Amino acid sequence: MQNFKTVVLLAAISGLLLLVGYGVGGLGGLIVALVVALLVNVSSYWFSADIVLKTSGAQEIGYEDDPDLFRMIEQVANGAGLPMPRVYIMDSPQPNAFATGRSPKHAAVAVTTGIRRLLTDRELRGVIGHEIAHVANRDILTSSVVATVASAISFLSFFALWVGGGRRDGGGWLALLAALLAPIAASLIQLAISRSREYQADTDGANYVGDPIALASALAKLEQGAQLMPREVSESTAHLYIVNPLGGNSVSGLFSTHPPMEQRIERLRRMAGYPQ
């Protein structure tokens, strides 16, 4: 269902791009915006993993640095049919984790020192399952595609502010509408896709480790930890983390990169057969 929802949302944001492109500059305007957005976002996608890992302060570690963590990640990755990702540690008291990489062959899983101290092995295994699911589902690729389309919409809207009103074929009002509303709509769709991918990673990750309740228990602890110890990270990378590192409850659900935690936990409890 979440994969279907993602497809529908991708179709919606693509349709919005077509509408805005036609309203602003016809087919020519659409092509120009796509070319510019692709040039910007392809380079970002190609180097995104290194950028995110560096800005988060993550340090790559070897097997000898944390054998238990390495074995856990390797077992979950093998169970998902994926190669072993690189392993990183972030020196932060906030319990959190994320996965990044443009493909399973170039993936990395990063966890904080805080999560290693807070969670039991069973709970941590559930978290690793969630992150491996993001890798398996190629969610970094999905978010890059969405970012490309959203950037094109923003470019067209900015262009509309300058030249859209001068059209004489009745498209001036469309250009103005695009400039005012399209970026907001694109952002909402982008956030909805991000939330959808979190739900899917919860489901797939719980299946990988065969323990939905362990992930549910981990999420409850991580949410509380993030609230008590917010972490300063770039808003452009906050969506990668398993829980919002900025302290999620301060953000309206409509504009949040993460689904409501109570809903994520309830879904996992239903997977385990617990009563609602």
Side-chain angles (χ1 to χ4, degrees), residues 218-253:
L219 289 176
K221 289 183 177 180
L222 297 180
E223 176 78 351
Q224 184 178 25
Q227 294 296 326
L228 293 174
M229 294 173 284
R231 187 167 186 238
E232 293 297 325
V233 303
S234 169
E235 292 187 4
S236 63
T237 62
H239 69 283
L240 293 174
Y241 289 78
I242 188 169
V243 298
N244 191 339
L246 301 173
N249 286 345
S250 61
V251 183
S252 168

CSV table of all heavy atoms in Angstrom, one decimal, residues 218-253:
chain,number,residue,atom,x,y,z
A,218,ALA,N,11.8,0.2,20.2
A,218,ALA,CA,13.0,1.1,19.9
A,218,ALA,C,12.5,2.5,19.5
A,218,ALA,O,13.0,3.5,19.9
A,218,ALA,CB,13.8,0.5,18.8
A,219,LEU,N,11.4,2.6,18.6
A,219,LEU,CA,10.9,3.9,18.2
A,219,LEU,C,10.4,4.7,19.3
A,219,LEU,O,10.6,5.9,19.4
A,219,LEU,CB,9.8,3.6,17.2
A,219,LEU,CG,10.2,3.1,15.8
A,219,LEU,CD1,9.0,2.9,14.9
A,219,LEU,CD2,11.2,4.1,15.1
A,220,ALA,N,9.8,4.1,20.3
A,220,ALA,CA,9.3,4.8,21.5
A,220,ALA,C,10.4,5.4,22.2
A,220,ALA,O,10.4,6.6,22.7
A,220,ALA,CB,8.4,3.9,22.3
A,221,LYS,N,11.5,4.6,22.4
A,221,LYS,CA,12.7,5.2,23.2
A,221,LYS,C,13.4,6.3,22.4
A,221,LYS,O,13.8,7.3,22.9
A,221,LYS,CB,13.6,4.0,23.4
A,221,LYS,CG,13.2,3.0,24.5
A,221,LYS,CD,14.3,2.0,24.7
A,221,LYS,CE,13.9,1.0,25.8
A,221,LYS,NZ,15.0,0.0,26.0
A,222,LEU,N,13.5,6.1,21.0
A,222,LEU,CA,14.2,7.0,20.2
A,222,LEU,C,13.4,8.4,20.1
A,222,LEU,O,14.1,9.4,20.2
A,222,LEU,CB,14.4,6.5,18.8
A,222,LEU,CG,15.3,5.2,18.7
A,222,LEU,CD1,15.4,4.8,17.2
A,222,LEU,CD2,16.6,5.5,19.3
A,223,GLU,N,12.1,8.3,20.1
A,223,GLU,CA,11.3,9.5,20.0
A,223,GLU,C,11.5,10.3,21.3
A,223,GLU,O,11.7,11.5,21.3
A,223,GLU,CB,9.8,9.2,19.8
A,223,GLU,CG,8.9,10.3,19.9
A,223,GLU,CD,8.9,11.1,18.6
A,223,GLU,OE1,9.7,10.9,17.7
A,223,GLU,OE2,8.0,12.0,18.5
A,224,GLN,N,11.5,9.6,22.4
A,224,GLN,CA,11.7,10.3,23.7
A,224,GLN,C,13.1,10.9,23.8
A,224,GLN,O,13.3,12.0,24.2
A,224,GLN,CB,11.4,9.4,24.9
A,224,GLN,CG,11.5,10.0,26.2
A,224,GLN,CD,11.2,9.0,27.4
A,224,GLN,OE1,11.4,7.8,27.2
A,224,GLN,NE2,10.8,9.6,28.5
A,225,GLY,N,14.1,10.1,23.3
A,225,GLY,CA,15.4,10.6,23.4
A,225,GLY,C,15.6,11.8,22.5
A,225,GLY,O,16.4,12.8,22.9
A,226,ALA,N,15.0,11.9,21.3
A,226,ALA,CA,15.1,13.0,20.4
A,226,ALA,C,14.5,14.2,21.0
A,226,ALA,O,15.0,15.4,20.8
A,226,ALA,CB,14.5,12.7,19.1
A,227,GLN,N,13.4,14.0,21.7
A,227,GLN,CA,12.7,15.2,22.4
A,227,GLN,C,13.6,15.8,23.5
A,227,GLN,O,13.6,17.0,23.7
A,227,GLN,CB,11.4,14.7,22.9
A,227,GLN,CG,10.3,14.3,21.9
A,227,GLN,CD,10.0,15.5,20.9
A,227,GLN,OE1,9.9,16.6,21.4
A,227,GLN,NE2,9.7,15.2,19.7
A,228,LEU,N,14.2,14.9,24.2
A,228,LEU,CA,15.0,15.4,25.4
A,228,LEU,C,16.3,16.0,24.9
A,228,LEU,O,16.9,16.9,25.6
A,228,LEU,CB,15.3,14.2,26.3
A,228,LEU,CG,14.1,13.6,27.1
A,228,LEU,CD1,14.4,12.4,27.9
A,228,LEU,CD2,13.5,14.7,28.0
A,229,MET,N,16.9,15.4,23.8
A,229,MET,CA,18.2,15.9,23.3
A,229,MET,C,18.1,16.2,21.8
A,229,MET,O,18.7,15.5,21.0
A,229,MET,CB,19.2,14.8,23.6
A,229,MET,CG,19.5,14.5,25.1
A,229,MET,SD,20.6,13.1,25.3
A,229,MET,CE,19.4,11.7,25.0
A,230,PRO,N,17.5,17.3,21.4
A,230,PRO,CA,17.4,17.7,20.0
A,230,PRO,C,18.8,17.8,19.5
A,230,PRO,O,19.7,18.3,20.2
A,230,PRO,CB,16.6,19.0,20.0
A,230,PRO,CG,15.9,19.0,21.3
A,230,PRO,CD,16.7,18.3,22.3
A,231,ARG,N,19.0,17.5,18.2
A,231,ARG,CA,20.3,17.5,17.6
A,231,ARG,C,20.3,18.5,16.4
A,231,ARG,O,19.4,18.5,15.6
A,231,ARG,CB,20.8,16.2,17.1
A,231,ARG,CG,22.2,16.1,16.6
A,231,ARG,CD,22.7,14.7,16.5
A,231,ARG,NE,24.1,14.6,16.1
A,231,ARG,CZ,24.5,14.1,15.0
A,231,ARG,NH1,23.7,13.5,14.2
A,231,ARG,NH2,25.8,14.1,14.7
A,232,GLU,N,21.2,19.4,16.4
A,232,GLU,CA,21.3,20.4,15.3
A,232,GLU,C,21.8,19.7,14.0
A,232,GLU,O,23.0,19.4,13.9
A,232,GLU,CB,22.2,21.5,15.7
A,232,GLU,CG,21.6,22.4,16.8
A,232,GLU,CD,20.3,23.1,16.4
A,232,GLU,OE1,20.2,23.5,15.2
A,232,GLU,OE2,19.4,23.2,17.3
A,233,VAL,N,20.9,19.5,13.1
A,233,VAL,CA,21.3,19.0,11.8
A,233,VAL,C,20.7,19.8,10.7
A,233,VAL,O,19.7,20.6,11.0
A,233,VAL,CB,20.9,17.5,11.6
A,233,VAL,CG1,21.6,16.6,12.7
A,233,VAL,CG2,19.4,17.3,11.6
A,234,SER,N,21.2,19.7,9.5
A,234,SER,CA,20.5,20.4,8.4
A,234,SER,C,19.1,19.9,8.1
A,234,SER,O,18.9,18.7,8.2
A,234,SER,CB,21.4,20.3,7.1
A,234,SER,OG,20.7,20.7,6.0
A,235,GLU,N,18.2,20.8,7.9
A,235,GLU,CA,16.8,20.4,7.6
A,235,GLU,C,16.7,19.6,6.3
A,235,GLU,O,15.8,18.8,6.2
A,235,GLU,CB,15.9,21.7,7.5
A,235,GLU,CG,15.7,22.4,8.8
A,235,GLU,CD,14.7,23.5,8.7
A,235,GLU,OE1,14.1,23.7,7.6
A,235,GLU,OE2,14.5,24.3,9.7
A,236,SER,N,17.7,19.7,5.5
A,236,SER,CA,17.7,19.0,4.2
A,236,SER,C,18.1,17.5,4.4
A,236,SER,O,17.9,16.7,3.5
A,236,SER,CB,18.6,19.6,3.2
A,236,SER,OG,20.0,19.6,3.7
A,237,THR,N,18.7,17.2,5.6
A,237,THR,CA,19.0,15.8,5.9
A,237,THR,C,18.2,15.2,7.0
A,237,THR,O,18.4,14.0,7.3
A,237,THR,CB,20.5,15.7,6.2
A,237,THR,OG1,20.8,16.5,7.4
A,237,THR,CG2,21.4,16.3,5.1
A,238,ALA,N,17.4,16.0,7.7
A,238,ALA,CA,16.7,15.5,8.9
A,238,ALA,C,15.8,14.3,8.5
A,238,ALA,O,15.6,13.4,9.3
A,238,ALA,CB,15.9,16.6,9.5
A,239,HIS,N,15.3,14.3,7.3
A,239,HIS,CA,14.3,13.2,6.9
A,239,HIS,C,15.0,11.9,6.8
A,239,HIS,O,14.3,10.8,6.8
A,239,HIS,CB,13.7,13.6,5.5
A,239,HIS,CG,14.6,13.5,4.4
A,239,HIS,ND1,15.6,14.5,4.1
A,239,HIS,CD2,14.8,12.5,3.4
A,239,HIS,CE1,16.3,14.2,3.0
A,239,HIS,NE2,15.8,13.0,2.6
A,240,LEU,N,16.3,11.8,6.7
A,240,LEU,CA,17.0,10.6,6.6
A,240,LEU,C,17.0,9.8,7.9
A,240,LEU,O,17.1,8.5,7.9
A,240,LEU,CB,18.5,10.8,6.2
A,240,LEU,CG,18.7,11.4,4.8
A,240,LEU,CD1,20.2,11.7,4.5
A,240,LEU,CD2,18.2,10.4,3.7
A,241,TYR,N,16.9,10.4,9.0
A,241,TYR,CA,17.0,9.8,10.3
A,241,TYR,C,15.8,9.0,10.6
A,241,TYR,O,14.7,9.3,10.2
A,241,TYR,CB,17.3,10.8,11.4
A,241,TYR,CG,18.7,11.4,11.4
A,241,TYR,CD1,19.0,12.4,10.5
A,241,TYR,CD2,19.6,11.0,12.3
A,241,TYR,CE1,20.2,13.0,10.5
A,241,TYR,CE2,20.9,11.6,12.3
A,241,TYR,CZ,21.2,12.6,11.4
A,241,TYR,OH,22.4,13.2,11.3
A,242,ILE,N,15.9,7.9,11.4
A,242,ILE,CA,14.8,7.1,11.8
A,242,ILE,C,13.7,7.9,12.6
A,242,ILE,O,12.5,7.6,12.5
A,242,ILE,CB,15.2,5.8,12.5
A,242,ILE,CG1,14.0,4.9,12.6
A,242,ILE,CG2,15.9,6.1,13.8
A,242,ILE,CD1,14.4,3.5,13.1
A,243,VAL,N,14.2,8.8,13.4
A,243,VAL,CA,13.3,9.7,14.1
A,243,VAL,C,13.8,11.1,13.8
A,243,VAL,O,15.0,11.3,13.7
A,243,VAL,CB,13.1,9.5,15.6
A,243,VAL,CG1,12.5,8.1,15.8
A,243,VAL,CG2,14.4,9.6,16.3
A,244,ASN,N,12.9,12.1,13.9
A,244,ASN,CA,13.3,13.5,13.6
A,244,ASN,C,14.3,14.0,14.6
A,244,ASN,O,14.0,14.1,15.8
A,244,ASN,CB,12.1,14.4,13.6
A,244,ASN,CG,12.4,15.8,13.1
A,244,ASN,OD1,13.5,16.2,13.0
A,244,ASN,ND2,11.3,16.5,12.6
A,245,PRO,N,15.6,14.2,14.2
A,245,PRO,CA,16.6,14.7,15.2
A,245,PRO,C,16.4,16.1,15.7
A,245,PRO,O,17.0,16.4,16.7
A,245,PRO,CB,17.9,14.6,14.3
A,245,PRO,CG,17.4,14.8,12.9
A,245,PRO,CD,16.1,14.2,12.8
A,246,LEU,N,15.5,16.8,15.1
A,246,LEU,CA,15.3,18.2,15.5
A,246,LEU,C,14.2,18.2,16.6
A,246,LEU,O,14.0,19.3,17.2
A,246,LEU,CB,14.8,19.0,14.3
A,246,LEU,CG,15.8,19.1,13.1
A,246,LEU,CD1,15.1,19.9,12.0
A,246,LEU,CD2,17.0,19.8,13.6
A,247,GLY,N,13.6,17.1,16.9
A,247,GLY,CA,12.6,17.1,18.0
A,247,GLY,C,11.2,17.1,17.5
A,247,GLY,O,10.4,17.8,18.1
A,248,GLY,N,10.8,16.3,16.6
A,248,GLY,CA,9.6,16.3,15.8
A,248,GLY,C,8.3,16.9,16.2
A,248,GLY,O,7.6,17.3,15.4
A,249,ASN,N,8.0,16.9,17.5
A,249,ASN,CA,6.7,17.3,17.9
A,249,ASN,C,6.5,18.8,17.7
A,249,ASN,O,5.4,19.3,17.8
A,249,ASN,CB,6.4,17.0,19.4
A,249,ASN,CG,6.2,15.6,19.7
A,249,ASN,OD1,5.9,14.8,18.7
A,249,ASN,ND2,6.3,15.1,20.9
A,250,SER,N,7.6,19.6,17.5
A,250,SER,CA,7.4,21.0,17.3
A,250,SER,C,7.0,21.3,15.8
A,250,SER,O,6.7,22.5,15.5
A,250,SER,CB,8.8,21.7,17.5
A,250,SER,OG,9.8,21.2,16.6
A,251,VAL,N,6.9,20.3,15.0
A,251,VAL,CA,6.5,20.5,13.6
A,251,VAL,C,5.1,20.0,13.4
A,251,VAL,O,4.8,18.9,13.8
A,251,VAL,CB,7.5,19.8,12.6
A,251,VAL,CG1,7.1,20.1,11.2
A,251,VAL,CG2,8.9,20.3,12.9
A,252,SER,N,4.3,20.7,12.7
A,252,SER,CA,2.9,20.3,12.3
A,252,SER,C,3.0,19.0,11.5
A,252,SER,O,3.9,18.8,10.7
A,252,SER,CB,2.2,21.3,11.5
A,252,SER,OG,1.0,20.8,11.0
A,253,GLY,N,2.1,18.1,11.8
A,253,GLY,CA,2.1,16.8,11.1
A,253,GLY,C,2.1,17.0,9.6
A,253,GLY,O,2.7,16.2,8.8
